[in-house]
Amino acid sequence: MTSEIKSERITIAVRSLPMFRGLAAEDQRRIAALATLKDFKRGDHLWRAGDPADYLTLIVRGRVKIVRHAEAGDIILEIFGEGEPVGAIAVYNYMPYPASAVCLEPVTLLMLPRRDYFELLDRNPDFARAIIRELTKITVALTRKLEEIRGQRVEARIAQLFLTLAERMGREGKDGVEIPLQLSRQEVADMVGTTVESAIRVLSRWGREGVLITGEGRFVIPSRERLREAAEG
Amino acid sequence: MTSEIKSERITIAVRSLPMFRGLAAEDQRRIAALATLKDFKRGDHLWRAGDPADYLTLIVRGRVKIVRHAEAGDIILEIFGEGEPVGAIAVYNYMPYPASAVCLEPVTLLMLPRRDYFELLDRNPDFARAIIRELTKITVALTRKLEEIRGQRVEARIAQLFLTLAERMGREGKDGVEIPLQLSRQEVADMVGTTVESAIRVLSRWGREGVLITGEGRFVIPSRERLREAAEG
DNA sequence: AGGGCGGTATGACGCCCGTCATGCGCGTTT
DNA sequence: AAACGCGCATGACGGGCGTCATACCGCCCT
């Protein structure tokens, strides 16, 4: 009974993932039979840096941050959302995860054992293309991050961060652009490579000035233009 | 006559490249027939950011830096050497080059038209694996660069840079580890994300203290240990 | 109630490093 | 030779931001 409900959930999940959408119904059924779903809550680790990568992991619901723990503090490399594969590179290359993955919200994962994933790859070469596309995106994003951190002042970097977030996941609300994402000051700092105190100083000042307002699990940008000015410096 | 000599050179070049080594002799012959060689000298641009990527480019001889021109100054993202493909991502994805490529030394390139490259990909799926491997390497390198730039002081970053270079291309000489690579102070600065002046201050002091000596087209590290101390800070 | 904890906020201090200026040596140009 | 450009070197100055300290608030726990 429960397992039937479960398998029903899995089938729906498989169909909803862009990566599997183009597949034949038979392939989709096979994947659903081999894959499992797993739930997490905010703050949970999907894995830690160094763990073995035994499953191909796809996000069905929620968002996840990829974090590297460095001596000088943590660095958030990327935020993945629904439909995206997480840690696909590590799985593909038989390497331990180079970074940790932590949930920013309640998350549901579809997990496919590595062995089955490779079998799928053999029968469906488009998957290699999908991987390459993901890797390209990551490379471009990392390059941009490098440019931003380099030389720019902290305020400009944070402004740039929220402009990017607004572009990626912003919704037009009645008070301006709304970014539905729960990030602590610490996490903002980790994303632009600075300290909590500096992030707090900028964000609390922006709150007073009405440039960017922190709400419950979201940020609001009353005027994109004023944020852009801050980004220019 | 000349063309025979040329085709002879090409055949040798194809055989020397790791990417082609596993191929059947017939495939190697086909590649040699389609590819061309091109020579450059130090300072030449292989291409500039924004140029169309019409050829798969492999380094037969010499080294190349990948540079992004940012407002705050240039950033050297990567240095590629013999046997490595350059800009393979751009070719694969039909996108214009996201960064410029400049020769650090006299360079010889093997260039394969994109059309032929894709044909080769279809007939030989291992190539996709090769691409993914390259992309993975790049991602890891970029991640490391991010960590280094973040938080660390300039002196530590430069020390880290030369430790990495020593690991990648160092040779044991009579005075210590020798890095056979011509880099200006400006280029060192661009690699760690700082200014020329700061790079000069560190390097000239190290020269006086005997931590790292700049020679003709090379650097010498008398004692890895002292450099490591500088990297720790 | 009290105590611990995590996130947020604010002030004071200090120093690294980016910026600007100046000078030197060397090769190339006119 | 003078003029110019380029790479390297060194000094002075100032500010951004990392570091440390303190405090407030809400929440969970025993």
Side-chain angles (χ1 to χ4, degrees):
Chain A
M1 197 100 75
T2 330
S3 77
E4 274 179 25
I5 295 173
K6 266 189 190 168
S7 80
E8 179 67 17
R9 271 188 74 201
I10 297 182
T11 306
I12 293 172
V14 169
R15 289 220 195 89
S16 76
L17 289 168
M19 207 171 176
F20 297 139
R21 202 161 276 164
L23 262 56
E26 190 196 325
D27 276 329
Q28 289 187 350
R29 235 183 310 117
R30 181 174 292 128
I31 293 172
L34 297 166
T36 52
L37 287 180
K38 216 167 170 184
D39 292 310
F40 299 86
K41 59 182 196 302
R42 173 173 167 91
D44 283 352
H45 276 71
L46 303 189
W47 59 74
R48 288 162 201 277
D51 287 354
D54 295 327
Y55 295 86
L56 174 67
T57 310
L58 296 149
I59 301 181
V60 178
R61 178 185 61 121
R63 273 171 299 198
V64 166
K65 65 175 176 182
I66 307 298
V67 187
R68 267 194 80 93
H69 312 289
E71 290 184 40
D74 291 356
I75 309 176
I76 298 182
L77 298 173
E78 191 63 69
I79 290 183
F80 287 111
E82 295 179 11
E84 297 183 296
V86 204
I89 316 125
V91 185
Y92 191 93
N93 290 13
Y94 290 96
M95 48 164 55
Y97 288 115
S100 306
V102 183
C103 299
L104 291 173
E105 316 161 350
V107 162
T108 303
L109 249 43
L110 183 90
M111 299 175 68
L112 189 67
R114 187 174 59 198
R115 177 197 307 271
D116 302 321
Y117 167 55
F118 276 114
E119 191 189 317
L120 209 65
L121 258 181
D122 288 342
R123 297 165 24 84
N124 206 318
D126 292 343
F127 274 31
R129 297 230 167 192
I131 300 269
I132 291 179
R133 209 174 314 123
E134 283 305 316
L135 269 171
T136 305
K137 268 170 53 185
I138 292 176
T139 306
V140 170
L142 284 177
T143 304
R144 240 174 67 173
K145 223 180 241 304
L146 256 177
E147 274 178 55
E148 281 172 22
I149 285 196
R150 154 80 155 80
Q152 299 275 26
R153 292 187 308 181
V154 166
E155 181 174 345
R157 303 209 298 262
I158 299 182
Q160 190 59 54
L161 166 67
F162 281 99
L163 285 173
T164 307
L165 288 177
E167 200 177 324
R168 273 185 57 182
M169 54 186 82
R171 302 179 178 283
E172 291 294 334
K174 62 183 196 308
D175 301 326
V177 185
E178 188 178 320
I179 303 173
L181 182 62
Q182 189 176 135
L183 287 180
S184 67
R185 308 307 200 197
Q186 179 69 63
E187 284 170 325
V188 171
D190 290 346
M191 291 198 74
V192 302
T194 183
T195 58
V196 211
E197 292 94 331
S198 294
I200 285 176
R201 266 183 257 270
V202 171
L203 290 179
S204 60
R205 176 161 50 79
W206 281 355
R208 287 192 298 272
E209 295 172 357
V211 177
L212 182 139
I213 292 125
T214 306
E216 280 296 298
R218 71 184 206 280
F219 298 92
V220 178
I221 305 173
S223 155
R224 269 181 139 96
E225 207 42 59
R226 295 187 59 187
L227 199 56
R228 224 185 302 274
E229 284 169 21
E232 305 297 337
Chain B
M1 194 102 72
T2 332
S3 78
E4 275 181 23
I5 293 174
K6 268 190 190 163
S7 80
E8 177 68 16
R9 272 186 74 199
I10 296 181
T11 306
I12 293 172
V14 169
R15 289 220 194 90
S16 77
L17 289 168
M19 206 172 177
F20 296 140
R21 203 163 274 163
L23 263 56
E26 189 196 326
D27 276 328
Q28 290 188 348
R29 234 182 311 119
R30 180 173 295 127
I31 293 172
L34 296 167
T36 53
L37 287 180
K38 215 164 170 187
D39 292 310
F40 298 85
K41 59 183 196 303
R42 174 172 168 88
D44 282 352
H45 275 72
L46 302 189
W47 59 73
R48 289 163 201 275
D51 288 354
D54 295 327
Y55 295 86
L56 173 68
T57 309
L58 296 148
I59 301 181
V60 177
R61 178 185 61 120
R63 272 170 300 199
V64 166
K65 64 174 175 181
I66 307 298
V67 187
R68 265 193 83 91
H69 314 289
E71 290 184 40
D74 292 355
I75 309 176
I76 298 182
L77 297 173
E78 191 61 73
I79 290 184
F80 287 111
E82 296 180 8
E84 297 183 295
V86 204
I89 316 125
V91 185
Y92 190 92
N93 291 10
Y94 290 96
M95 50 164 52
Y97 289 114
S100 306
V102 182
C103 300
L104 291 172
E105 316 162 350
V107 162
T108 303
L109 249 45
L110 185 90
M111 300 175 67
L112 190 66
R114 189 175 58 195
R115 175 196 306 270
D116 301 322
Y117 167 54
F118 277 113
E119 191 188 316
L120 210 64
L121 259 181
D122 287 341
R123 296 164 26 82
N124 205 319
D126 291 344
F127 274 30
R129 296 229 168 193
I131 300 269
I132 292 178
R133 210 175 311 125
E134 283 305 317
L135 270 172
T136 305
K137 269 170 52 185
I138 291 176
T139 306
V140 171
L142 283 177
T143 305
R144 242 174 65 175
K145 223 177 244 302
L146 257 177
E147 273 178 56
E148 283 173 18
I149 284 195
R150 154 80 156 81
Q152 298 274 25
R153 292 186 310 181
V154 166
E155 181 173 346
R157 302 210 297 262
I158 299 182
Q160 191 57 53
L161 166 67
F162 281 99
L163 285 173
T164 307
L165 287 177
E167 199 177 322
R168 273 186 57 182
M169 54 186 81
R171 302 179 175 284
E172 292 293 334
K174 60 184 198 309
D175 302 325
V177 185
E178 188 178 321
I179 301 173
L181 182 62
Q182 191 177 136
L183 287 180
S184 68
R185 308 309 200 196
Q186 179 68 61
E187 285 170 325
V188 171
D190 290 346
M191 291 197 74
V192 301
T194 183
T195 57
V196 211
E197 293 93 330
S198 294
I200 285 176
R201 268 183 256 269
V202 172
L203 290 179
S204 62
R205 177 162 50 78
W206 281 356
R208 287 193 296 272
E209 294 171 356
V211 176
L212 182 139
I213 292 124
T214 305
E216 279 296 296
R218 70 184 206 279
F219 298 91
V220 179
I221 305 172
S223 155
R224 266 182 143 94
E225 209 40 61
R226 296 188 57 188
L227 199 56
R228 225 183 302 273
E229 286 169 20
E232 305 297 334

